[in-house]
DNA sequence: TGCATCCATTACCATATAGGAATATAGTAA
DNA sequence: TTACTATATTCCTATATGGTAATGGATGCA
């Protein structure tokens, strides 16, 4: 069991040790990352902090929508707000959210690769199940 | 920038490199992990494979509900099905999902700790915002 | 003051989904 | 075959949520 530990600088409780209430919180955290627009916001903020108006333009969506999603990201401690005049700058509060995203990217890459291999190894039109 | 790489045995594309279509897939992956019951299923399967009926009893929920959530987990390659007679055994297909969960656990633990510290440093009834 | 800008919030609508109840399907045994 | 068990699926409802439009609120400037 070559289980690699990702978390080295904290007690880092594992899934096993969590009760149902803690699992609810974990689920909510994942849910915050389960919207494409929120991921695009995080991706944009990876370069540097941005004002709401900049995000609105870069992501080509309404200002109200950006503000709403930023509030959700902030509620989970993923971004931080810095008011300057009438503007509001948002920046990444916890860069480890990118570790999560990168982990998922890697898993999906592996999965797609193996699926492509399966498809390539079967005659056209073959179904893998059912 | 002490950015630790979690993914060592694959190309592991980063969030930066993903287009909107790939981000949609990442969001769907996170969404599969955003339900408490699905996390409880994964937690239960961490010990050993289980039949649907066992999960139904252990998690105290309906059989239809368990089957539905198992289908979602399987759709994302997180669990695998092994039919034996009229039973269906489910097992973990990709143990790295636990790495994700543990990462989130660690981040939430840090966050709660700092919040508790903030609360402890303020007089009773103080609000940290608004 | 008055006005403009930037952002947050609210109300509303459309869609997605978790859950339950009922039904369908598949395997097993008589 | 018929009956029984285990699981999957379908239908339905209640709730949650993403999106938009409209509004509110705070700041800055003339």
């Amino acid at each position: 069991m070559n289980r690699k530990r990702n978390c080295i600088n904290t007690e880092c409780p594992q899934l096993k040790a969590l009760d149902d209430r803690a699992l609810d919180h974990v689920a909510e955290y994942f849910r915050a990352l389960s919207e494409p627009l929120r991921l695009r916001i995080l991706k944009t903020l990876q370069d540097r902090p941005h004002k709401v108006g900049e995000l609105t333009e870069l992501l080509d969506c309404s200002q109200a929508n950006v503000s709403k999603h930023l509030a959700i990201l902030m509620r989970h401690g993923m971004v931080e707000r810095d008011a300057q005049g009438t503007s509001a700058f948002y920046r990444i509060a916890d860069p480890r959210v990118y570790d999560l995203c990168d982990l998922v990217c890697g898993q999906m890459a592996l999965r797609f690769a193996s699926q492509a291999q399966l498809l390539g190894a079967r005659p056209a039109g073959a179904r893998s199940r059912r």
PDB file of all heavy atoms in Angstrom, chain C residues 19-30:
ATOM      1  P    DG C  19     -29.554  12.143  -0.497  1.00  0.00           P
ATOM      2  OP1  DG C  19     -29.149  12.512   0.876  1.00  0.00           O
ATOM      3  OP2  DG C  19     -28.748  11.177  -1.266  1.00  0.00           O
ATOM      4  O5'  DG C  19     -31.056  11.620  -0.450  1.00  0.00           O
ATOM      5  C5'  DG C  19     -32.043  12.375   0.225  1.00  0.00           C
ATOM      6  C4'  DG C  19     -33.413  11.887  -0.153  1.00  0.00           C
ATOM      7  O4'  DG C  19     -33.651  12.182  -1.542  1.00  0.00           O
ATOM      8  C3'  DG C  19     -33.615  10.381  -0.020  1.00  0.00           C
ATOM      9  O3'  DG C  19     -34.412  10.105   1.129  1.00  0.00           O
ATOM     10  C2'  DG C  19     -34.324   9.950  -1.309  1.00  0.00           C
ATOM     11  C1'  DG C  19     -34.584  11.254  -2.040  1.00  0.00           C
ATOM     12  N9   DG C  19     -34.397  11.170  -3.477  1.00  0.00           N
ATOM     13  C8   DG C  19     -33.235  10.888  -4.160  1.00  0.00           C
ATOM     14  N7   DG C  19     -33.386  10.876  -5.455  1.00  0.00           N
ATOM     15  C5   DG C  19     -34.734  11.158  -5.641  1.00  0.00           C
ATOM     16  C6   DG C  19     -35.495  11.269  -6.833  1.00  0.00           C
ATOM     17  O6   DG C  19     -35.102  11.134  -8.004  1.00  0.00           O
ATOM     18  N1   DG C  19     -36.831  11.572  -6.576  1.00  0.00           N
ATOM     19  C2   DG C  19     -37.366  11.738  -5.316  1.00  0.00           C
ATOM     20  N2   DG C  19     -38.665  12.028  -5.259  1.00  0.00           N
ATOM     21  N3   DG C  19     -36.670  11.639  -4.193  1.00  0.00           N
ATOM     22  C4   DG C  19     -35.376  11.342  -4.430  1.00  0.00           C
ATOM     23  P    DG C  20     -34.770   8.585   1.462  1.00  0.00           P
ATOM     24  OP1  DG C  20     -34.948   8.519   2.922  1.00  0.00           O
ATOM     25  OP2  DG C  20     -33.834   7.686   0.774  1.00  0.00           O
ATOM     26  O5'  DG C  20     -36.215   8.404   0.773  1.00  0.00           O
ATOM     27  C5'  DG C  20     -37.230   9.355   1.022  1.00  0.00           C
ATOM     28  C4'  DG C  20     -38.494   8.988   0.273  1.00  0.00           C
ATOM     29  O4'  DG C  20     -38.328   9.257  -1.134  1.00  0.00           O
ATOM     30  C3'  DG C  20     -38.891   7.514   0.387  1.00  0.00           C
ATOM     31  O3'  DG C  20     -40.305   7.402   0.570  1.00  0.00           O
ATOM     32  C2'  DG C  20     -38.466   6.911  -0.949  1.00  0.00           C
ATOM     33  C1'  DG C  20     -38.618   8.099  -1.895  1.00  0.00           C
ATOM     34  N9   DG C  20     -37.692   8.063  -3.028  1.00  0.00           N
ATOM     35  C8   DG C  20     -36.332   7.879  -2.962  1.00  0.00           C
ATOM     36  N7   DG C  20     -35.749   7.900  -4.121  1.00  0.00           N
ATOM     37  C5   DG C  20     -36.784   8.098  -5.017  1.00  0.00           C
ATOM     38  C6   DG C  20     -36.772   8.197  -6.435  1.00  0.00           C
ATOM     39  O6   DG C  20     -35.807   8.117  -7.204  1.00  0.00           O
ATOM     40  N1   DG C  20     -38.047   8.403  -6.951  1.00  0.00           N
ATOM     41  C2   DG C  20     -39.196   8.499  -6.200  1.00  0.00           C
ATOM     42  N2   DG C  20     -40.328   8.696  -6.870  1.00  0.00           N
ATOM     43  N3   DG C  20     -39.226   8.404  -4.877  1.00  0.00           N
ATOM     44  C4   DG C  20     -37.987   8.204  -4.352  1.00  0.00           C
ATOM     45  P    DA C  21     -40.913   5.985   0.892  1.00  0.00           P
ATOM     46  OP1  DA C  21     -41.952   6.182   1.923  1.00  0.00           O
ATOM     47  OP2  DA C  21     -39.820   5.018   1.100  1.00  0.00           O
ATOM     48  O5'  DA C  21     -41.636   5.621  -0.486  1.00  0.00           O
ATOM     49  C5'  DA C  21     -42.540   6.555  -1.066  1.00  0.00           C
ATOM     50  C4'  DA C  21     -43.138   5.983  -2.341  1.00  0.00           C
ATOM     51  O4'  DA C  21     -42.182   6.129  -3.421  1.00  0.00           O
ATOM     52  C3'  DA C  21     -43.481   4.491  -2.266  1.00  0.00           C
ATOM     53  O3'  DA C  21     -44.734   4.249  -2.892  1.00  0.00           O
ATOM     54  C2'  DA C  21     -42.341   3.816  -3.020  1.00  0.00           C
ATOM     55  C1'  DA C  21     -41.939   4.880  -4.034  1.00  0.00           C
ATOM     56  N9   DA C  21     -40.523   4.835  -4.388  1.00  0.00           N
ATOM     57  C8   DA C  21     -39.461   4.648  -3.544  1.00  0.00           C
ATOM     58  N7   DA C  21     -38.297   4.656  -4.140  1.00  0.00           N
ATOM     59  C5   DA C  21     -38.605   4.869  -5.472  1.00  0.00           C
ATOM     60  C6   DA C  21     -37.800   4.983  -6.621  1.00  0.00           C
ATOM     61  N6   DA C  21     -36.472   4.895  -6.602  1.00  0.00           N
ATOM     62  N1   DA C  21     -38.424   5.195  -7.803  1.00  0.00           N
ATOM     63  C2   DA C  21     -39.762   5.285  -7.814  1.00  0.00           C
ATOM     64  N3   DA C  21     -40.627   5.192  -6.794  1.00  0.00           N
ATOM     65  C4   DA C  21     -39.966   4.980  -5.638  1.00  0.00           C
ATOM     66  P    DA C  22     -45.309   2.761  -2.950  1.00  0.00           P
ATOM     67  OP1  DA C  22     -46.759   2.880  -2.711  1.00  0.00           O
ATOM     68  OP2  DA C  22     -44.465   1.882  -2.101  1.00  0.00           O
ATOM     69  O5'  DA C  22     -45.068   2.359  -4.477  1.00  0.00           O
ATOM     70  C5'  DA C  22     -45.399   3.296  -5.488  1.00  0.00           C
ATOM     71  C4'  DA C  22     -44.869   2.823  -6.824  1.00  0.00           C
ATOM     72  O4'  DA C  22     -43.434   3.010  -6.858  1.00  0.00           O
ATOM     73  C3'  DA C  22     -45.123   1.338  -7.118  1.00  0.00           C
ATOM     74  O3'  DA C  22     -45.743   1.200  -8.387  1.00  0.00           O
ATOM     75  C2'  DA C  22     -43.734   0.702  -7.089  1.00  0.00           C
ATOM     76  C1'  DA C  22     -42.826   1.877  -7.441  1.00  0.00           C
ATOM     77  N9   DA C  22     -41.470   1.771  -6.902  1.00  0.00           N
ATOM     78  C8   DA C  22     -41.101   1.547  -5.607  1.00  0.00           C
ATOM     79  N7   DA C  22     -39.801   1.495  -5.416  1.00  0.00           N
ATOM     80  C5   DA C  22     -39.276   1.704  -6.675  1.00  0.00           C
ATOM     81  C6   DA C  22     -37.960   1.756  -7.151  1.00  0.00           C
ATOM     82  N6   DA C  22     -36.887   1.608  -6.378  1.00  0.00           N
ATOM     83  N1   DA C  22     -37.777   1.984  -8.481  1.00  0.00           N
ATOM     84  C2   DA C  22     -38.857   2.129  -9.255  1.00  0.00           C
ATOM     85  N3   DA C  22     -40.155   2.095  -8.923  1.00  0.00           N
ATOM     86  C4   DA C  22     -40.290   1.871  -7.604  1.00  0.00           C
ATOM     87  P    DT C  23     -46.094  -0.274  -8.934  1.00  0.00           P
ATOM     88  OP1  DT C  23     -47.351  -0.159  -9.683  1.00  0.00           O
ATOM     89  OP2  DT C  23     -45.963  -1.235  -7.822  1.00  0.00           O
ATOM     90  O5'  DT C  23     -44.917  -0.563  -9.970  1.00  0.00           O
ATOM     91  C5'  DT C  23     -44.546   0.459 -10.905  1.00  0.00           C
ATOM     92  C4'  DT C  23     -43.294   0.045 -11.657  1.00  0.00           C
ATOM     93  O4'  DT C  23     -42.151   0.130 -10.776  1.00  0.00           O
ATOM     94  C3'  DT C  23     -43.316  -1.383 -12.202  1.00  0.00           C
ATOM     95  O3'  DT C  23     -43.061  -1.360 -13.596  1.00  0.00           O
ATOM     96  C2'  DT C  23     -42.203  -2.094 -11.422  1.00  0.00           C
ATOM     97  C1'  DT C  23     -41.292  -0.945 -11.055  1.00  0.00           C
ATOM     98  N1   DT C  23     -40.448  -1.176  -9.857  1.00  0.00           N
ATOM     99  C2   DT C  23     -39.076  -1.125  -9.986  1.00  0.00           C
ATOM    100  O2   DT C  23     -38.511  -0.906 -11.038  1.00  0.00           O
ATOM    101  N3   DT C  23     -38.382  -1.355  -8.818  1.00  0.00           N
ATOM    102  C4   DT C  23     -38.918  -1.615  -7.578  1.00  0.00           C
ATOM    103  O4   DT C  23     -38.197  -1.814  -6.607  1.00  0.00           O
ATOM    104  C5   DT C  23     -40.354  -1.654  -7.519  1.00  0.00           C
ATOM    105  C7   DT C  23     -41.029  -1.936  -6.207  1.00  0.00           C
ATOM    106  C6   DT C  23     -41.051  -1.431  -8.652  1.00  0.00           C
ATOM    107  P    DA C  24     -43.037  -2.721 -14.417  1.00  0.00           P
ATOM    108  OP1  DA C  24     -43.720  -2.463 -15.687  1.00  0.00           O
ATOM    109  OP2  DA C  24     -43.462  -3.835 -13.546  1.00  0.00           O
ATOM    110  O5'  DA C  24     -41.471  -2.890 -14.714  1.00  0.00           O
ATOM    111  C5'  DA C  24     -40.737  -1.754 -15.171  1.00  0.00           C
ATOM    112  C4'  DA C  24     -39.275  -2.140 -15.396  1.00  0.00           C
ATOM    113  O4'  DA C  24     -38.595  -2.216 -14.117  1.00  0.00           O
ATOM    114  C3'  DA C  24     -39.070  -3.494 -16.069  1.00  0.00           C
ATOM    115  O3'  DA C  24     -37.991  -3.409 -16.987  1.00  0.00           O
ATOM    116  C2'  DA C  24     -38.754  -4.425 -14.896  1.00  0.00           C
ATOM    117  C1'  DA C  24     -37.999  -3.489 -13.961  1.00  0.00           C
ATOM    118  N9   DA C  24     -38.102  -3.837 -12.544  1.00  0.00           N
ATOM    119  C8   DA C  24     -39.239  -4.035 -11.817  1.00  0.00           C
ATOM    120  N7   DA C  24     -39.021  -4.331 -10.551  1.00  0.00           N
ATOM    121  C5   DA C  24     -37.643  -4.319 -10.448  1.00  0.00           C
ATOM    122  C6   DA C  24     -36.786  -4.559  -9.359  1.00  0.00           C
ATOM    123  N6   DA C  24     -37.198  -4.856  -8.131  1.00  0.00           N
ATOM    124  N1   DA C  24     -35.454  -4.477  -9.595  1.00  0.00           N
ATOM    125  C2   DA C  24     -35.033  -4.181 -10.833  1.00  0.00           C
ATOM    126  N3   DA C  24     -35.743  -3.939 -11.922  1.00  0.00           N
ATOM    127  C4   DA C  24     -37.056  -4.029 -11.664  1.00  0.00           C
ATOM    128  P    DT C  25     -37.716  -4.621 -17.992  1.00  0.00           P
ATOM    129  OP1  DT C  25     -37.392  -4.020 -19.299  1.00  0.00           O
ATOM    130  OP2  DT C  25     -38.819  -5.604 -17.844  1.00  0.00           O
ATOM    131  O5'  DT C  25     -36.395  -5.279 -17.403  1.00  0.00           O
ATOM    132  C5'  DT C  25     -35.301  -4.434 -17.037  1.00  0.00           C
ATOM    133  C4'  DT C  25     -34.253  -5.252 -16.299  1.00  0.00           C
ATOM    134  O4'  DT C  25     -34.636  -5.400 -14.912  1.00  0.00           O
ATOM    135  C3'  DT C  25     -34.056  -6.669 -16.836  1.00  0.00           C
ATOM    136  O3'  DT C  25     -32.685  -6.859 -17.129  1.00  0.00           O
ATOM    137  C2'  DT C  25     -34.525  -7.572 -15.703  1.00  0.00           C
ATOM    138  C1'  DT C  25     -34.271  -6.696 -14.493  1.00  0.00           C
ATOM    139  N1   DT C  25     -35.085  -7.016 -13.298  1.00  0.00           N
ATOM    140  C2   DT C  25     -34.460  -7.226 -12.099  1.00  0.00           C
ATOM    141  O2   DT C  25     -33.257  -7.145 -11.963  1.00  0.00           O
ATOM    142  N3   DT C  25     -35.305  -7.521 -11.050  1.00  0.00           N
ATOM    143  C4   DT C  25     -36.676  -7.633 -11.098  1.00  0.00           C
ATOM    144  O4   DT C  25     -37.328  -7.916 -10.101  1.00  0.00           O
ATOM    145  C5   DT C  25     -37.267  -7.419 -12.394  1.00  0.00           C
ATOM    146  C7   DT C  25     -38.753  -7.514 -12.551  1.00  0.00           C
ATOM    147  C6   DT C  25     -36.455  -7.118 -13.413  1.00  0.00           C
ATOM    148  P    DA C  26     -32.202  -8.125 -17.987  1.00  0.00           P
ATOM    149  OP1  DA C  26     -31.309  -7.642 -19.047  1.00  0.00           O
ATOM    150  OP2  DA C  26     -33.391  -8.936 -18.316  1.00  0.00           O
ATOM    151  O5'  DA C  26     -31.326  -8.942 -16.936  1.00  0.00           O
ATOM    152  C5'  DA C  26     -30.416  -8.233 -16.103  1.00  0.00           C
ATOM    153  C4'  DA C  26     -29.974  -9.120 -14.958  1.00  0.00           C
ATOM    154  O4'  DA C  26     -30.986  -9.104 -13.919  1.00  0.00           O
ATOM    155  C3'  DA C  26     -29.771 -10.584 -15.352  1.00  0.00           C
ATOM    156  O3'  DA C  26     -28.534 -11.038 -14.833  1.00  0.00           O
ATOM    157  C2'  DA C  26     -30.936 -11.306 -14.698  1.00  0.00           C
ATOM    158  C1'  DA C  26     -31.213 -10.428 -13.488  1.00  0.00           C
ATOM    159  N9   DA C  26     -32.591 -10.498 -13.007  1.00  0.00           N
ATOM    160  C8   DA C  26     -33.737 -10.366 -13.730  1.00  0.00           C
ATOM    161  N7   DA C  26     -34.834 -10.482 -13.020  1.00  0.00           N
ATOM    162  C5   DA C  26     -34.373 -10.706 -11.730  1.00  0.00           C
ATOM    163  C6   DA C  26     -35.041 -10.909 -10.497  1.00  0.00           C
ATOM    164  N6   DA C  26     -36.377 -10.913 -10.376  1.00  0.00           N
ATOM    165  N1   DA C  26     -34.284 -11.096  -9.402  1.00  0.00           N
ATOM    166  C2   DA C  26     -32.953 -11.088  -9.535  1.00  0.00           C
ATOM    167  N3   DA C  26     -32.217 -10.910 -10.636  1.00  0.00           N
ATOM    168  C4   DA C  26     -32.990 -10.716 -11.704  1.00  0.00           C
ATOM    169  P    DG C  27     -27.895 -12.380 -15.390  1.00  0.00           P
ATOM    170  OP1  DG C  27     -26.488 -12.089 -15.736  1.00  0.00           O
ATOM    171  OP2  DG C  27     -28.813 -12.969 -16.382  1.00  0.00           O
ATOM    172  O5'  DG C  27     -27.885 -13.324 -14.100  1.00  0.00           O
ATOM    173  C5'  DG C  27     -27.158 -12.911 -12.956  1.00  0.00           C
ATOM    174  C4'  DG C  27     -27.708 -13.583 -11.718  1.00  0.00           C
ATOM    175  O4'  DG C  27     -29.114 -13.259 -11.585  1.00  0.00           O
ATOM    176  C3'  DG C  27     -27.619 -15.117 -11.739  1.00  0.00           C
ATOM    177  O3'  DG C  27     -26.907 -15.554 -10.599  1.00  0.00           O
ATOM    178  C2'  DG C  27     -29.072 -15.591 -11.701  1.00  0.00           C
ATOM    179  C1'  DG C  27     -29.785 -14.403 -11.080  1.00  0.00           C
ATOM    180  N9   DG C  27     -31.183 -14.286 -11.446  1.00  0.00           N
ATOM    181  C8   DG C  27     -31.710 -14.063 -12.697  1.00  0.00           C
ATOM    182  N7   DG C  27     -33.020 -14.007 -12.702  1.00  0.00           N
ATOM    183  C5   DG C  27     -33.376 -14.202 -11.372  1.00  0.00           C
ATOM    184  C6   DG C  27     -34.663 -14.244 -10.766  1.00  0.00           C
ATOM    185  O6   DG C  27     -35.769 -14.115 -11.295  1.00  0.00           O
ATOM    186  N1   DG C  27     -34.573 -14.474  -9.391  1.00  0.00           N
ATOM    187  C2   DG C  27     -33.398 -14.633  -8.702  1.00  0.00           C
ATOM    188  N2   DG C  27     -33.505 -14.844  -7.383  1.00  0.00           N
ATOM    189  N3   DG C  27     -32.197 -14.593  -9.255  1.00  0.00           N
ATOM    190  C4   DG C  27     -32.264 -14.377 -10.586  1.00  0.00           C
ATOM    191  P    DT C  28     -26.461 -17.074 -10.498  1.00  0.00           P
ATOM    192  OP1  DT C  28     -25.159 -17.129  -9.819  1.00  0.00           O
ATOM    193  OP2  DT C  28     -26.631 -17.702 -11.824  1.00  0.00           O
ATOM    194  O5'  DT C  28     -27.572 -17.676  -9.537  1.00  0.00           O
ATOM    195  C5'  DT C  28     -27.840 -17.035  -8.293  1.00  0.00           C
ATOM    196  C4'  DT C  28     -28.941 -17.763  -7.549  1.00  0.00           C
ATOM    197  O4'  DT C  28     -30.231 -17.345  -8.047  1.00  0.00           O
ATOM    198  C3'  DT C  28     -28.896 -19.285  -7.670  1.00  0.00           C
ATOM    199  O3'  DT C  28     -28.899 -19.863  -6.378  1.00  0.00           O
ATOM    200  C2'  DT C  28     -30.156 -19.636  -8.456  1.00  0.00           C
ATOM    201  C1'  DT C  28     -31.080 -18.460  -8.145  1.00  0.00           C
ATOM    202  N1   DT C  28     -32.080 -18.169  -9.206  1.00  0.00           N
ATOM    203  C2   DT C  28     -33.403 -18.053  -8.854  1.00  0.00           C
ATOM    204  O2   DT C  28     -33.812 -18.182  -7.731  1.00  0.00           O
ATOM    205  N3   DT C  28     -34.245 -17.776  -9.916  1.00  0.00           N
ATOM    206  C4   DT C  28     -33.894 -17.612 -11.253  1.00  0.00           C
ATOM    207  O4   DT C  28     -34.734 -17.366 -12.102  1.00  0.00           O
ATOM    208  C5   DT C  28     -32.494 -17.749 -11.531  1.00  0.00           C
ATOM    209  C7   DT C  28     -32.008 -17.588 -12.928  1.00  0.00           C
ATOM    210  C6   DT C  28     -31.653 -18.020 -10.505  1.00  0.00           C
ATOM    211  P    DA C  29     -28.629 -21.425  -6.275  1.00  0.00           P
ATOM    212  OP1  DA C  29     -27.670 -21.609  -5.164  1.00  0.00           O
ATOM    213  OP2  DA C  29     -28.357 -22.019  -7.602  1.00  0.00           O
ATOM    214  O5'  DA C  29     -30.072 -21.920  -5.799  1.00  0.00           O
ATOM    215  C5'  DA C  29     -30.804 -21.128  -4.868  1.00  0.00           C
ATOM    216  C4'  DA C  29     -32.225 -21.642  -4.770  1.00  0.00           C
ATOM    217  O4'  DA C  29     -33.011 -21.105  -5.868  1.00  0.00           O
ATOM    218  C3'  DA C  29     -32.351 -23.166  -4.857  1.00  0.00           C
ATOM    219  O3'  DA C  29     -33.253 -23.642  -3.868  1.00  0.00           O
ATOM    220  C2'  DA C  29     -32.895 -23.410  -6.253  1.00  0.00           C
ATOM    221  C1'  DA C  29     -33.728 -22.157  -6.485  1.00  0.00           C
ATOM    222  N9   DA C  29     -33.889 -21.811  -7.893  1.00  0.00           N
ATOM    223  C8   DA C  29     -32.916 -21.795  -8.866  1.00  0.00           C
ATOM    224  N7   DA C  29     -33.363 -21.444 -10.045  1.00  0.00           N
ATOM    225  C5   DA C  29     -34.711 -21.211  -9.844  1.00  0.00           C
ATOM    226  C6   DA C  29     -35.747 -20.809 -10.710  1.00  0.00           C
ATOM    227  N6   DA C  29     -35.564 -20.564 -12.002  1.00  0.00           N
ATOM    228  N1   DA C  29     -36.992 -20.670 -10.177  1.00  0.00           N
ATOM    229  C2   DA C  29     -37.163 -20.922  -8.889  1.00  0.00           C
ATOM    230  N3   DA C  29     -36.271 -21.306  -7.972  1.00  0.00           N
ATOM    231  C4   DA C  29     -35.052 -21.437  -8.524  1.00  0.00           C
ATOM    232  P    DA C  30     -33.157 -25.135  -3.459  1.00  0.00           P
ATOM    233  OP1  DA C  30     -32.883 -25.159  -2.006  1.00  0.00           O
ATOM    234  OP2  DA C  30     -32.260 -25.840  -4.410  1.00  0.00           O
ATOM    235  O5'  DA C  30     -34.646 -25.632  -3.710  1.00  0.00           O
ATOM    236  C5'  DA C  30     -35.730 -24.956  -3.067  1.00  0.00           C
ATOM    237  C4'  DA C  30     -37.005 -25.138  -3.867  1.00  0.00           C
ATOM    238  O4'  DA C  30     -36.953 -24.334  -5.063  1.00  0.00           O
ATOM    239  C3'  DA C  30     -37.197 -26.552  -4.404  1.00  0.00           C
ATOM    240  O3'  DA C  30     -37.895 -27.350  -3.426  1.00  0.00           O
ATOM    241  C2'  DA C  30     -38.073 -26.340  -5.631  1.00  0.00           C
ATOM    242  C1'  DA C  30     -37.770 -24.915  -6.053  1.00  0.00           C
ATOM    243  N9   DA C  30     -37.032 -24.811  -7.322  1.00  0.00           N
ATOM    244  C8   DA C  30     -35.709 -25.106  -7.543  1.00  0.00           C
ATOM    245  N7   DA C  30     -35.330 -24.903  -8.788  1.00  0.00           N
ATOM    246  C5   DA C  30     -36.484 -24.463  -9.425  1.00  0.00           C
ATOM    247  C6   DA C  30     -36.744 -24.088 -10.752  1.00  0.00           C
ATOM    248  N6   DA C  30     -35.810 -24.095 -11.709  1.00  0.00           N
ATOM    249  N1   DA C  30     -37.998 -23.708 -11.058  1.00  0.00           N
ATOM    250  C2   DA C  30     -38.929 -23.694 -10.084  1.00  0.00           C
ATOM    251  N3   DA C  30     -38.799 -24.027  -8.801  1.00  0.00           N
ATOM    252  C4   DA C  30     -37.537 -24.402  -8.536  1.00  0.00           C
TER     253       DA C  30
END
